[in-house]
Amino acid sequence: MVSQIAHAGMKVFNKAGYRLLRKITGQTVKNMPPEAVTMNTAIIEHVSGKQKYVFTFLNSNGKALKVVHSTSDSPLVKETVYSWVQPQQRTKMTAMYREKIDPCAFENYGVRKNTKIWDKNTKNITETKDTVIDINKNSNTVTISEASRRESEDLTGVLYTDEASLYQIVNGKKVKGLYQKSHCRPNEVSTIEVNSGCGLTEGEIQQALEYPYFYAMFKNPQRMAYAARTRAFADQKIDTATNFAFVPKERLNGAHAVYNMNTDTIYLSGQRMSKSSLLNDLNHEARHKWQFGQIKKLENSELTTTEEIQQARIFRENMQNYKSHSKCANEEEYSSQPVEFDAYAIGDAAAERHYVQVDFLQKLFPKAARKTLGE
């Protein structure tokens, strides 16, 4: 494909002090994103002489798949990846389940945007933002969910600022919304700075924003897990600095998640991208670490109540005779082991609470698909 180059010539600067210096269209380069067929380059000049560079990768329909921004005077690079969403197709399988709980999935168009800002010198990511724009043409309704995390530093170290919002726009006017701003430091539980809403009752706003994972629920699944882990670890009364990582499922011998006592690490596979499943896994594996801690306290005579002592003894006996999936006749035999029965109850409760939260948001924002609402 032949690229075309357009020069701005003597075009005047706009009120903001910028002008288009050059635009190159129809380029093909190495290592383009999957499904990208061309790349466009725009060079924008400021009156100061500084330049901005915008690289846009397009699919065969002319829609952006990835946009990269950089400037001549800063090491920061902004990358946004776009995923264009079409209405889900009705099939026998979707009609059995999805259509019953998420009818808007069959009529909404939209786009998902995952953005990161990183320093090309240090490779450090300083900001992430995940946005879902859901368009229901039948009702002229647009629902937007967004979650960001910005990294900064002060005298005491690194500080993360999280912002989460959910808004509904009808005929171009914002009619209802939720907003939360919080902050935390690495391996610390988030502290809420701002809770607010509009177009909803005070009770609805309070109920939606009191969900402890609201700050993370609109992030993409992996970012959600990284942000939510400290809350899950704190809920299960383990060290919030416990090691955590995503690894290929093959390294977990087919399991979705594992707590490795030897490395003191909770591992999650990249296979389960449902947010409720990830919260289930985080809490389930954190509970296993807590169980090991209770056994250690038992052996050190640190437990004081009869209930704690009896429970820890049951955990210890089970751990000494623990059966992996491969050694069990069926799933029921595996999950009925005391340590697994206990951990499953904790994980399932976390997943159920997330389902309840999404159900509640769906009542408040009925024209949005459940994925937009943090499913």
Side-chain angles (χ1 to χ4, degrees):
M1 182 176 292
V2 178
S3 61
Q4 298 179 347
I5 302 175
H7 296 273
M10 297 302 293
K11 185 176 179 180
V12 297
F13 295 96
N14 62 20
K15 292 182 179 180
Y18 291 98
R19 69 172 180 177
L20 178 64
L21 188 65
R22 179 180 298 176
K23 185 175 182 180
I24 308 171
T25 60
Q27 298 171 282
T28 55
V29 297
K30 293 182 179 179
N31 302 319
M32 292 205 301
E35 300 183 20
V37 296
T38 60
M39 182 187 80
N40 295 342
T41 300
I43 303 175
I44 302 168
E45 184 180 36
H46 189 257
V47 290
S48 64
K50 299 174 183 178
Q51 294 183 348
K52 289 185 176 183
Y53 310 95
V54 183
F55 306 96
T56 304
F57 298 89
L58 306 170
N59 64 15
S60 58
N61 295 321
K63 290 187 175 182
L65 295 174
K66 183 177 181 179
V67 179
V68 181
H69 293 80
S70 64
T71 61
S72 60
D73 63 324
S74 172
L76 296 180
V77 177
K78 178 181 177 182
E79 292 185 7
T80 301
V81 176
Y82 295 78
S83 176
W84 299 91
V85 180
Q86 299 293 323
Q88 190 167 342
Q89 292 185 347
R90 283 182 169 85
T91 65
K92 185 176 181 180
M93 291 299 295
T94 58
M96 290 173 61
Y97 174 69
R98 176 57 62 180
E99 192 168 8
K100 294 179 181 179
I101 67 166
D102 194 10
C104 288
F106 296 87
E107 56 187 70
N108 286 4
Y109 294 80
V111 61
R112 298 178 185 139
K113 301 191 295 183
N114 303 122
T115 300
K116 65 179 180 180
I117 298 175
W118 56 281
D119 189 315
K120 59 186 177 184
N121 293 333
T122 65
K123 309 302 180 184
N124 183 45
I125 297 175
T126 61
E127 185 173 350
T128 60
K129 180 180 291 186
D130 299 305
T131 305
V132 179
I133 302 174
D134 214 356
I135 304 171
N136 187 286
K137 291 185 177 180
N138 296 334
S139 60
N140 293 321
T141 299
V142 177
T143 309
I144 303 173
S145 65
E146 193 163 72
S148 64
R149 167 163 285 191
R150 185 174 67 256
E151 179 181 317
S152 59
E153 288 194 33
D154 58 18
L155 294 177
T156 58
V158 174
L159 178 70
Y160 298 132
T161 300
D162 288 295
E163 293 182 90
S165 61
L166 178 62
Y167 291 103
Q168 180 176 293
I169 301 169
V170 180
N171 294 320
K173 181 180 179 181
K174 183 165 70 176
V175 297
K176 63 177 70 172
L178 297 164
Y179 173 79
Q180 185 178 87
K181 182 178 181 180
S182 59
H183 70 268
C184 67
R185 298 191 184 278
N187 301 320
E188 290 185 1
V189 176
S190 292
T191 300
I192 296 173
E193 293 182 16
V194 179
N195 272 337
S196 65
C198 63
L200 300 166
T201 68
E202 289 297 322
E204 290 169 337
I205 294 170
Q206 180 179 351
Q207 183 175 341
L209 296 177
E210 70 183 5
Y211 178 55
Y213 294 103
F214 187 88
Y215 72 100
M217 69 180 299
F218 304 128
K219 298 179 186 291
N220 77 31
Q222 284 203 358
R223 289 175 182 169
M224 185 278 291
Y226 274 105
R229 74 186 193 279
T230 49
R231 172 71 62 180
F233 295 171
D235 286 348
Q236 303 314 319
K237 299 179 175 59
I238 67 171
D239 185 357
T240 54
T242 298
N243 297 324
F244 169 79
F246 277 95
V247 296
K249 191 174 182 179
E250 295 74 31
R251 286 185 53 186
L252 304 183
N253 296 320
H256 291 297
V258 167
Y259 169 63
N260 188 312
M261 184 177 62
N262 295 325
T263 62
D264 189 27
T265 303
I266 290 174
Y267 297 102
L268 269 61
S269 78
Q271 301 296 312
R272 282 155 70 93
M273 288 293 98
S274 161
K275 294 175 184 177
S276 59
S277 295
L278 289 172
L279 289 173
N280 190 329
D281 291 340
L282 282 171
N283 282 274
H284 180 116
E285 299 308 328
R287 186 69 171 187
H288 279 321
K289 176 172 178 174
W290 175 83
Q291 293 166 350
F292 279 110
Q294 292 298 96
I295 294 172
K296 185 175 181 180
K297 288 180 179 179
L298 172 68
E299 294 171 343
N300 292 336
S301 301
E302 296 175 6
L303 299 180
T304 57
T305 70
T306 301
E307 183 180 0
E308 286 181 326
I309 292 171
Q310 290 178 342
Q311 185 185 48
R313 284 174 176 169
I314 293 172
F315 288 158
R316 181 173 64 182
E317 182 180 356
N318 187 190
M319 290 295 187
Q320 291 171 346
N321 300 280
Y322 184 80
K323 291 183 179 181
S324 63
H325 268 106
S326 61
K327 294 182 179 180
C328 291
N330 50 48
E331 179 63 29
E332 183 178 358
E333 181 183 0
Y334 173 79
S335 60
S336 63
Q337 296 179 98
V339 294
E340 292 299 342
F341 185 86
D342 178 67
Y344 272 110
I346 293 296
D348 288 346
E352 177 61 24
R353 188 172 184 183
H354 191 75
Y355 276 125
V356 170
Q357 170 73 353
V358 175
D359 284 344
F360 181 65
L361 293 182
Q362 191 174 37
K363 292 178 181 178
L364 302 183
F365 299 85
K367 294 303 180 180
R370 288 175 68 90
K371 292 291 185 183
T372 310
L373 303 175
E375 185 186 54

